Amino acid sequence: LGGVETLAFLNGSAGCDTSFPGSLARCDRWFLDDVTVLDLTPPHVVSFRLLSDSLLFLTFNEPYDMAQLRDLSNFQVVLDPDAGNTTGGQDPGELPAAQEVGLLVRFEGFSLGSSSANDSFSCHVRFAPPLRAGVRYAVEVSGLCDESGNAMRPQRLPVTFDPDAETVLVKVNQQGYLPDSPKVGYVGGYLGDH
């Protein structure tokens, strides 16, 4: 009940004088039993970023059903209808398709004034063949539910690959930490190399 601000009780709660409706008798204690908290909020994508020509990073508003998220049919690439594309110079049979999905749940910190963890719920979707530079695509995300069974509304996410855009897909590692020993640095692709 961490997010609840007010609890309303009907007359008849244990420990109160409820001899007549609207009693103003003081209640010093309440007994609660069989409390159920319902999650009625469906999941949705709150942010997304194209990391390479074949890798999309999505963040959701809440935990998702992990088995459903791995279903590749939940991620469809289409030519962006809002961009006026008809074929984008491609045969529609060559549109990229989801090949794999990687799940990521990350601790972000604690809620202010409590010990409740704030986590982010994300995924990486890898597509093949790669997106063509400059073609305006849309990734349609649908068919996902949260852990309570709430189905998301389909979302269309516009994406365009720009080979000149900055990337976060560079990883640098160092081997050797002693002050007088040789150091070796390694630079490589991260989550998006081929």
Side-chain angles (χ1 to χ4, degrees):
L1 297 174
V4 175
E5 295 179 10
T6 305
L7 289 174
F9 297 98
L10 301 174
N11 284 343
S13 297
C16 293
D17 176 8
T18 57
S19 56
F20 60 92
S23 171
L24 300 176
R26 180 183 163 129
C27 297
D28 292 328
R29 60 184 174 186
W30 299 90
F31 296 96
L32 302 177
D33 192 15
D34 297 329
V35 174
T36 303
V37 178
L38 299 177
D39 172 11
L40 301 176
T41 305
H44 64 272
V45 176
V46 293
S47 68
F48 63 96
R49 182 175 182 183
L50 194 58
L51 299 178
S52 74
D53 62 351
S54 60
L55 191 64
L56 180 66
F57 182 72
L58 305 147
T59 301
F60 293 86
N61 64 322
E62 65 175 316
Y64 38 68
D65 182 302
M66 291 185 185
Q68 284 185 339
L69 192 72
R70 290 192 178 276
D71 182 352
L72 300 178
S73 67
N74 291 327
F75 305 94
Q76 300 293 319
V77 178
V78 298
L79 294 171
D80 189 352
D82 297 330
N85 282 340
T86 52
T87 64
Q90 290 186 197
D91 178 333
E94 295 178 16
L95 286 174
Q99 301 298 307
E100 63 181 320
V101 177
L103 312 176
L104 177 64
V105 177
R106 182 174 48 206
F107 171 75
E108 299 290 340
F110 291 103
S111 297
L112 188 61
S114 80
S115 60
S116 297
N118 288 332
D119 297 325
S120 66
F121 304 93
S122 305
C123 73
H124 292 90
V125 183
R126 186 180 305 276
F127 298 99
L131 303 174
R132 292 188 179 180
V135 176
R136 294 175 67 176
Y137 297 96
V139 177
E140 295 180 345
V141 183
S142 63
L144 299 176
C145 291
D146 62 13
E147 295 172 331
S148 298
N150 299 309
M152 75 175 289
R153 292 180 188 91
Q155 285 183 264
R156 180 180 292 146
L157 313 173
V159 295
T160 303
F161 174 63
D162 178 1
D164 298 324
E166 289 185 17
T167 182
V168 296
L169 298 178
V170 177
K171 183 176 184 178
V172 178
N173 286 332
Q174 175 184 328
Q175 182 179 5
Y177 297 97
L178 297 175
D180 297 325
S181 67
K183 312 286 188 288
V184 177
Y186 296 95
V187 177
Y190 178 69
L191 282 178
D193 55 352
H194 296 284

